[in-house]
Amino acid sequence: MDTQNPSVPPRARSADGGSQSHARATQRPPARPDAHRRRTAARPSGIAHDNTRHTTRFTVIGNHLTQHPELSLLAIGLACHIQSLPAGARADIKTLAARFPEGTTRIAAALRELEAHGYLRRERERTPAGRIVTRTISCNQPGAARNQPPPAAPTRTRPSEANDHPAPHPAPRKQPRPLPAVPHPAYPAPALLQQAADLLAELRHHDPRLLLSAHDTAHLAPGVAAWLERDVEPVAVRHALTRDLPPEGPRRPAALLAHRLAALLPPPPPFRSPAAAPPPARHPLHNCDSCDRAFRAPAPGRCRDCRPTPIRSH
């Protein structure tokens, strides 16, 4: 029986078969696109967030502010700082310049940016003492009130439904605040009140912002008459009412004038005793042309006894 010689080498492979198998061994399958995306996503090149949830001392700020396309970086940062302040904190230019190193010029420009885009409002208010102060209002979402949908039109209901669901009462209309009280003259003569009303009507020629209504003029006229009654010239009254007005103009001109009429009212003029009557004229002495008797008269002539008596007609 034939047996295989183990010392004999096995049959060599063909050259073609060896090259083909080497090519198959070195050839790799093409990478899939999604695998490349996964590898890229695993190593992001942008910012990564390490966020922790705040439970105290935090402020909610919208991306419409932090990513605003038109605001400068200083304006965005200043708006974030102002929105984080508690109510009543000071946010004027001087206070902010003392807090940050940017200086008053750059801070003022940033505040104007925020005001132009609706993130800040500045309103003038009058204190109980009569001073006018500027109130800064921070808006965390400008235009939110304007973007609210209009109220739906009321629908008609049947009488039975109306009795079951009565229509709500309209909100009471906000009444304007009454004007401050003004002084009144001791003797309100019609001519004096008319002169006071004419002075108030002429104020708009000196400053168009002091245009008063007929109701306001009637309320202020007694106060002006009290000044005129105290020997104050109309020019002085007009100067006291129109000097040192706010640069942007008074919000309520009539209220400002009423406050000044009461707060700056001058005292009454000092009492003067009536002047004494002049002494009677003392004529010089003259001698009568008829009897040579001395008598007093403004001019020479005859005395009273020597003057002819006029004849009375019957």
Side-chain angles (χ1 to χ4, degrees):
M1 186 174 64
D2 296 336
T3 59
Q4 187 176 1
N5 189 358
S7 62
V8 177
R11 188 174 55 182
R13 296 179 181 178
S14 62
D16 295 339
S19 60
Q20 292 177 358
S21 58
H22 177 72
R24 285 196 300 269
T26 57
Q27 200 174 27
R28 295 181 180 178
R32 292 182 298 175
D34 54 350
H36 175 70
R37 285 196 297 269
R38 285 198 299 270
R39 288 196 301 270
T40 305
R43 299 188 302 271
S45 59
I47 187 172
H49 295 279
D50 183 9
N51 294 335
T52 302
R53 181 180 180 84
H54 291 281
T55 57
T56 58
R57 295 181 57 82
F58 65 92
T59 303
V60 178
I61 299 177
N63 288 341
H64 55 82
L65 170 60
T66 57
Q67 301 177 11
H68 201 286
E70 299 180 8
L71 288 176
S72 64
L73 184 60
L74 177 59
I76 293 175
L78 192 57
C80 295
H81 171 72
I82 292 176
Q83 291 188 19
S84 68
L85 294 177
R90 298 182 63 85
D92 56 289
I93 298 176
K94 184 177 180 180
T95 303
L96 294 173
R99 170 64 175 79
F100 298 103
E102 278 71 16
T104 57
T105 303
R106 297 183 61 189
I107 289 178
L111 291 176
R112 287 194 295 269
E113 287 185 58
L114 297 177
E115 191 172 4
H117 288 84
Y119 288 96
L120 282 184
R121 292 201 315 269
R122 299 179 185 180
E123 297 181 354
R124 292 281 184 173
E125 294 183 2
R126 180 181 299 279
T127 62
R131 296 179 60 253
I132 297 178
V133 298
T134 300
R135 189 78 63 190
T136 302
I137 301 175
S138 173
C139 304
N140 68 337
Q141 193 171 357
R146 295 191 296 269
N147 297 333
Q148 292 180 356
T155 57
R156 293 184 178 181
T157 58
R158 294 178 298 177
S160 59
E161 296 179 357
N163 295 333
D164 296 339
H165 305 282
H169 295 285
R173 187 176 181 181
K174 186 177 181 180
Q175 299 293 333
R177 290 180 296 176
L179 296 175
V182 297
H184 285 69
Y187 302 98
L192 185 64
L193 293 175
Q194 184 60 45
Q195 183 183 3
D198 295 341
L199 189 149
L200 291 169
E202 293 177 356
L203 292 181
R204 64 177 182 267
H205 299 300
H206 299 271
D207 194 329
R209 299 172 297 180
L210 297 180
L211 178 62
L212 303 174
S213 64
H215 177 268
D216 295 340
T217 303
H219 179 82
L220 299 174
V224 177
W227 283 56
L228 298 176
E229 187 183 47
R230 300 187 176 207
D231 293 343
V232 181
E233 295 295 332
V235 177
V237 178
R238 186 182 304 111
H239 177 70
L241 296 179
T242 58
R243 68 176 181 181
D244 298 335
L245 293 177
E248 68 282 358
R251 294 180 56 190
R252 299 181 65 199
L256 175 62
L257 297 181
H259 171 74
R260 291 189 172 186
L261 288 173
L264 305 178
L265 180 66
F271 176 77
R272 298 185 182 91
S273 58
R282 190 174 182 83
H283 301 296
L285 289 171
H286 300 280
N287 292 332
C288 179
D289 295 342
S290 297
C291 64
D292 201 24
R293 186 172 58 180
F295 70 96
R296 293 185 179 275
R302 296 181 180 182
C303 64
R304 182 175 54 185
D305 296 337
C306 296
R307 295 172 189 166
T309 302
I311 302 174
R312 298 180 179 177
S313 60
H314 297 281

